[in-house]
Amino acid sequence: MYRAVTRQIEVTVEPNFLPGRSSVDKGQYFWSYTIVITNTGDETVQLRTRHWIITDATGRKQEVRGEGVVGEQPVLAPGERFEYTSGVPLPTASGFMSGRYQMVSESGERFEIDVPTFSLDSPDNRRVLN
């Protein structure tokens, strides 16, 4: 599990390779990832936008920006959490993702929180140590 905390908002990520949706012969690899956002602070916040940078094993980057996550812009009161699962395809057997969420506080302040960088590895990926 991967974890980041920004301004008392914790984000954890658990990636999972999906062999049933992948095709090694066609160079198509697919992962799901489950994210839990927990407000450990004392102010209600709302997730407004997301920004992802997805990097495959060749170093090719893809940026994804959008409103909310999985069609929602969750509001988190102190102590509340929001969990969702999404997915990502890659043309390589490994890669990684990093991102940020734009949040807005009850008082109207906009700020960004980090999503921890997380690794996408398939069981077929051979690691070489030098």
Side-chain angles (χ1 to χ4, degrees), residues 1-3 10-15 34 36 116 118:
M1 182 177 316
Y2 299 84
R3 178 180 180 265
E10 178 185 71
V11 180
T12 62
V13 184
E14 186 73 43
T34 299
V36 178
F118 58 97

Side-chain angles (χ1 to χ4, degrees), residues 22 31 33-34 59 73-74 104 112 121:
S22 301
W31 290 263
Y33 54 90
T34 299
Q73 292 182 318
V104 63
E112 290 191 337
D121 296 302

Side-chain angles (χ1 to χ4, degrees), residues 36-81:
V36 178
I37 304 163
T38 306
N39 182 357
T40 64
D42 56 6
E43 186 174 26
T44 297
V45 297
Q46 181 179 23
L47 188 153
R48 300 303 293 270
T49 65
R50 70 185 182 284
H51 176 207
W52 289 109
I53 299 172
I54 305 160
T55 308
D56 70 20
T58 66
R60 186 181 70 102
K61 293 182 192 258
Q62 176 186 357
E63 288 198 51
V64 177
R65 295 178 188 268
E67 297 290 318
V69 289
V70 293
E72 296 187 50
Q73 292 182 318
V75 174
L76 299 170
E80 289 187 334
R81 67 196 290 266

